[in-house]
Structure formats: structure tokens, C-alpha cells
């Protein structure tokens, strides 16, 4: 079987798996978030938090609860790192330096999981489990909660509330993420992923090697990071490490986990608004963008349009021979189309145009299908912008799902869209404008610029992956990228929740002859077009200075 044929089979089998799980998982999540009954475990958590599960919140209270939880989480994760040497299960690790601890705490709480350190030589077992792995769950559950709050905004009429943050957080963690992670960890252990608390000496003996390796709960952390679309791995080389991703089928399974919840959430959305076909329209937009990206990334990498790949016959630099070019390209596309950031190859070694695709995927806003929850609410904001553009074309007040899109709604949607470009372009400009920022580049010229651009794009979009050629474990980069992560996460969330509150308070608008149908292929194509055009207009100059310039040089 040729590499191209194998790659096609790999992608098609993933698509079939997504189709099979879309409906049952989407319906299950609908029942989780709309059910009236709490489980016994949830009632225990609510009592501990002092929360009344039946009490709903205005969007502003919902936002304050979310921000309070996140601030406390940052302080806890930061504190555990700073006192690590005094903790049990520290694996002999010293306290984490303040700037790295700050960056890591921000990173994991914002669901970015950018790692400016080598995991196996920096973090002990307790910090990996009690701080980082816990955030793999709850930070993903926060994104899901925000998405569900926005969907309630569309579904409710003349309502003052959008749900209860604490209920959404607990249900998402205990009923959705935890059960799937438990089952997924068993599958990965069966596939050869390590799950233990062995010492470096014990693991070295077991593998017959002489290298210094740190053992740990790799299987559980691996499935949590993929399921929660997080990039942080136990090992520095992430999913390229054979302890984290041993075989081609575990590679397939990890991509499946990355895409699982984001591709099922549109079904949940359709059920909650009472129009399943609206969910299918959103899913179609996500799938169209995803398929186009995966195909183009594979074409650029298999074609090897660069000097060295053409000389040796394949773009194999930075790729594991266990996976090959195509499976590595598919993993790269999946991880940047979502807010995962996990990698099984070295994106810095991709061809110029293949590397550009990983950048472009993140610049789309990671909405195809995007992060857990974040992808859905990002796509719904783009749908709001699209109906406004369509309304301008026909001279009619835009409507979406029976709600008028007025000045307030468009301001919030516009602010949401502008946050990330401002952070990415400003951060890149500041880094390129000072000596410390430029000194971190491994390469000069367009590729070096691409490394910096990728770092700020990844941080601002809460992705977590990196080109890898830029040295970011310095105080300047740890602070700068940490600021991008925290602003890139919470400013959009505030705008989304404000939009949810505004929509929920509206009275329904009856459908008329002039209402734009938002469930048909024409609307799907319009959303795809608006998304691509907005991103192209915003980021094309930066891409022209980096990967495009490198590709034609």
C-alpha cells in the first residue's frame, strides 16, 4: 500500500468513526446539560462548594464565578510548583522557577498547556497529577460550560439567566470527561502506553536502555490531554514519545479523542435549540474546513515542496518513522484545528506550506471543530457575523435562530473576533522589535519569523503546540506568552457570556419570507467563506513575511 493510499484510509476511517459517535455522544451531552437530577457524587461536590444546583445565574454572575474559579486554580497550580521539592512524589525535582511556574499555571488553567520546559525533568508526579492533570479536566469543562451557556442564550426567550456555572462545570467533568478518559486510558494501556509511578532507574531497566527517563502516570495523562484537547504531555516530545504513543493505531486513537467531543457538540446544540438541522449546518461548516485543511496539509507534506525533501524523496525530517509523513500531517492538522497542541512530529521541520497550514488552522480561531466547547462557541460567533453580513447584502435586520442580531450583539461578536489578531500581531511585533525576542530564534529570515509568529498564535489561541525552533523558556517569553494566554482565553469568554445574556433576554422573532435560512448548504458555504476571508484579510501580511516567503524562496 502506498503512503498516499494509507493516508486516505487513515483519514476516511477517522471520518467514519466521527459519524458513528456524533449522534449518541451529542444526545448524551444534551441529556447531561438539560437534566434536572443530580448524581450522588455531584451533590457531595455542591455541598462542599456551598452551591445550590437549582439556582441559576445571570451572565455576569456566571462570568464572575468562572473567573473566580480560574484565578484560584492559577494560584493553586503556581503554588504547588513553587513548593514541589517539599512535596511527596516529587521524583527528586526541585522547585520550579517563578517565571516558568507562572507560565505553566496560566497555560494549564487556560486550556493551552503550552510547555516552556521539559516535563520529565521539571515536574514531579504529584504536580503532574494534582495540578496539571486536574486542569486537563476542569479547564476543558470550563470551555464546554461557556458553549452551553451561549446555546441557552439562543434557546431561551425573555430569560434573565444562562445556567449555573458550577453545575455545568461539575457535570461536564464527572459525567462526560471522566468516564471517557477512564475508558480511553484502558485502551491506551492495552496499546502499550505506560501507566505507573516507576522511578527513572526502574523504567531504564525495563526498557533495557541507558537514557535518563522519568516514569509516571502517562496513560491517564495522555488520554486526558487528547480528550480535553490539551497540548501538555508527560514527556517533552509529547505524542512522538513511544511511551505516550507507541503504535500507528494508538496514533489513530489519539486523533479520534482529539476530535470526539468537538465534533459531537453541534448535535447537542441542535437538540438544545430544538432544531437538529441547525446543528448539522454547524457541523457541515466544521467538517468542510477540517477536510480542506487535512487534505492540503497532506498534499504539502507528501509532495515535499522544499529543497531537502526533494533531494531525499520525502519530507521525513522531524517525523517518526512509525507514523510516516501522512499520519504525521493528519495529526498536525487535527491538533491545530482544535486547541489541542499535542504533537507527534516536529512542526518546525514541516515544509514551508505544510507549516503554514498549521498556522492558518489556528488563525481560523480553531473552530473546525475547535477546542472542547471553545470550537462551538467560536463557530456560533462566526455564524452571528455571517448573518449580519448577509443582512447587509439584502438590506434586512439580521436574525439567527429567532433572535435579532442588533448593534449590541454585533459589537460583542466583533470584539470576540478581534481579541486574538490583536494579541498575535502585537506580540509578534514586540518580539521582533527587541533583541531578547529575536535572540530566541533558532533560524534567521522568514523561517525564524514564522517561529515567533507561531508561538504567539499558539498562545493567543490557547493551542499549546510550537514550531519548536524558538527558545521560549526565558523570563521575557514566559511573561509575554502567559499574558497572551490569559487574555486570549478570558476576554473572548466574557464577550461570549455577555452575548448569551443579551440573546436570552430577547423575545423570539417569527420566521418570515425574508428570514435567511440558516440550515441550508448556501448558509454553510457563506459561513465558510466569511471565516476564510476574515482570517485572510487579518493574517495574510504576516503569513507573507513568514511561510509564504520561505515557500517561494
Amino acid at each position: 500500500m502506498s503512503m498516499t493510499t494509507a493516508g486516505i484510509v487513515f483519514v476516511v476511517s477517522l471520518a467514519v468513526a466521527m459519524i458513528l459517535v456524533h449522534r449518541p455522544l451529542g444526545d448524551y451531552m444534551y441529556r447531561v446539560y438539560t437534566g434536572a437530577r443530580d448524581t450522588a457524587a455531584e451533590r457531595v461536590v455542591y455541598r462542599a462548594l456551598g452551591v445550590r444546583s437549582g439556582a441559576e445565574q445571570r451572565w455576569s454572575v456566571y462570568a464572575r464565578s468562572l473567573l473566580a474559579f480560574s484565578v484560584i486554580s492559577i494560584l493553586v497550580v503556581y503554588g504547588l510548583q513553587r513548593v514541589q521539592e517539599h512535596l511527596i512524589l516529587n521524583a527528586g525535582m526541585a522547585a520550579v522557577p517563578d517565571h516558568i511556574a507562572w507560565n505553566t499555571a496560566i497555560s494549564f488553567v487556560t486550556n493551552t498547556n503550552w510547555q516552556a520546559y521539559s516535563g520529565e525533568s521539571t515536574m514531579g508526579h504529584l504536580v503532574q497529577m494534582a495540578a496539571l492533570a486536574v486542569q486537563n479536566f476542569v479547564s476543558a469543562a470550563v470551555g464546554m460550560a461557556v458553549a452551553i451557556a451561549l446555546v441557552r442564550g439562543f434557546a431561551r426567550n425573555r430569560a434573565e439567566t444562562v445556567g449555573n456555572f458550577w453545575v455545568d462545570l461539575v457535570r461536564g467533568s464527572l459525567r462526560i470527561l471522566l468516564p471517557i478518559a477512564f475508558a480511553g486510558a484502558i485502551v491506551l494501556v492495552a496499546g502499550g502506553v505506560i501507566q505507573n509511578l516507576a522511578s527513572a532507574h526502574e523504567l531504564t531497566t525495563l526498557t533495557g536502555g541507558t537514557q535518563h527517563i522519568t516514569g509516571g502516570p502517562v496513560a491517564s495523562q495522555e488520554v486526558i490531554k487528547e480528550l480535553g484537547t490539551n497540548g501538555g504531555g508527560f514527556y517533552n516530545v509529547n505524542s512522538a514519545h513511544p511511551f505516550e504513543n507507541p503504535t500507528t493505531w494508538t496514533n489513530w486513537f489519539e486523533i479520534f479523542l482529539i476530535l470526539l467531543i468537538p465534533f459531537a457538540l453541534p448535535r447537542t446544540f441542535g437538540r438544545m435549540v430544538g432544531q437538529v438541522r441547525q446543528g448539522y449546518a454547524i457541523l457541515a461548516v466544521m467538517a468542510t474546513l477540517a477536510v480542506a485543511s487535512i487534505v492540503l496539509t497532506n498534499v504539502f507534506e507528501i509532495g515535499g515542496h522544499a529543497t531537502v525533501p526533494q533531494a531525499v524523496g520525502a519530507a521525513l525530517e522531524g517525523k517518526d518513522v512509525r507514523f510516516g509523513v501522512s499520519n504525521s500531517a493528519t495529526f498536525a492538522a487535527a491538533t491545530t484545528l482544535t486547541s489541542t497542541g499535542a504533537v507527534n512530529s516536529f512542526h518546525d521541520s514541516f515544509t514551508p506550506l505544510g507549516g503554514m497550514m498549521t498556522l492558518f488552522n489556528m488563525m481560523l480561531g480553531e473552530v473546525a471543530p475547535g477546542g472542547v466547547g471553545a470550537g462551538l462557541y467560536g463557530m456560533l460567533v462566526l455564524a452571528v457575523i455571517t448573518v449580519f453580513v448577509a443582512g447587509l447584502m439584502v438590506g434586512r435586520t439580521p436574525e439567527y435562530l429567532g433572535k435579532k442580531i442588533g448593534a449590541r450583539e454585533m459589537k460583542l461578536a466583533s470584539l470576540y473576533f478581534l481579541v486574538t489578531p490583536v494579541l498575535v500581531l502585537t506580540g509578534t511585533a514586540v518580539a521582533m522589535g527587541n533583541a531578547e525576542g529575536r535572540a530566541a530564534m533558532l533560524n534567521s529570515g522568514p523561517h525564524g519569523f514564522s517561529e515567533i509568529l507561531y508561538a504567539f498564535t499558539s498562545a493567543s489561541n490557547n493551542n499549546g503546540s510550537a514550531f519548536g525552533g524558538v527558545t521560549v523558556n526565558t523570563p521575557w517569553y514566559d511573561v509575554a506568552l502567559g499574558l497572551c494566554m490569559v487574555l486570549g482565553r478570558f476576554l473572548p469568554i466574557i464577550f461570549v457570556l455577555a452575548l448569551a445574556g443579551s440573546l436570552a433576554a430577547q423575545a423570539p422573532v417569527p420566521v418570515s419570507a425574508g428570514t435567511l435560512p440558516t440550515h441550508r448548504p448556501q448558509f454553510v458555504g457563506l459561513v465558510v467563506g466569511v471565516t476564510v476571508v476574515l482570517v485572510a484579510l487579518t493574517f495574510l501580511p504576516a503569513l507573507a513575511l513568514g511561510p509564504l516567503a520561505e515557500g517561494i524562496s
Side-chain angles (χ1 to χ4, degrees), residues 301-320:
E301 289 304 299
I302 293 174
H305 300 297
T307 303
V308 174
Q310 289 178 354
V312 301
L316 279 170
E317 180 188 342
K319 298 180 178 71
D320 197 308

Side-chain angles (χ1 to χ4, degrees), residues 4 9 117 128 209 227 241 252 281 402 408 415 467 471 521:
T4 301
V9 172
Y117 59 89
Q128 292 269 20
L227 181 63
H241 199 294
W252 183 96
R408 174 178 171 79
L415 288 170
F467 253 24
T471 303

Side-chain angles (χ1 to χ4, degrees), residues 25-66:
L25 180 57
D27 288 346
Y28 172 72
M29 290 191 289
Y30 163 76
R31 293 192 296 271
V32 167
Y33 286 113
T34 59
R37 301 180 65 178
D38 302 318
T39 66
E42 289 165 356
R43 289 193 291 271
V44 171
V45 175
Y46 298 147
R47 282 196 293 270
L49 294 174
V51 171
R52 290 187 297 114
S53 61
E56 293 216 341
Q57 300 171 319
R58 296 173 180 265
W59 79 263
S60 55
V61 179
Y62 198 104
R64 288 199 296 271
S65 300
L66 186 154

Side-chain angles (χ1 to χ4, degrees), residues 103-121:
N103 184 276
T104 304
I106 292 290
S107 177
F108 278 78
V109 173
T110 59
N111 199 231
T112 310
N113 294 24
W114 170 277
Q115 291 178 285
Y117 59 89
S118 177
E120 64 267 36
S121 61

Side-chain angles (χ1 to χ4, degrees), residues 88 93 99 112 124 135 146 168 194 203 216 272 278 314 422 521 527 533 551:
I88 61 172
M93 304 294 181
H99 58 94
T112 310
Q135 289 304 316
V146 175
D168 293 339
I194 303 298
L203 270 182
M272 289 184 68
Q278 297 288 350
V422 168
V527 177
V533 169

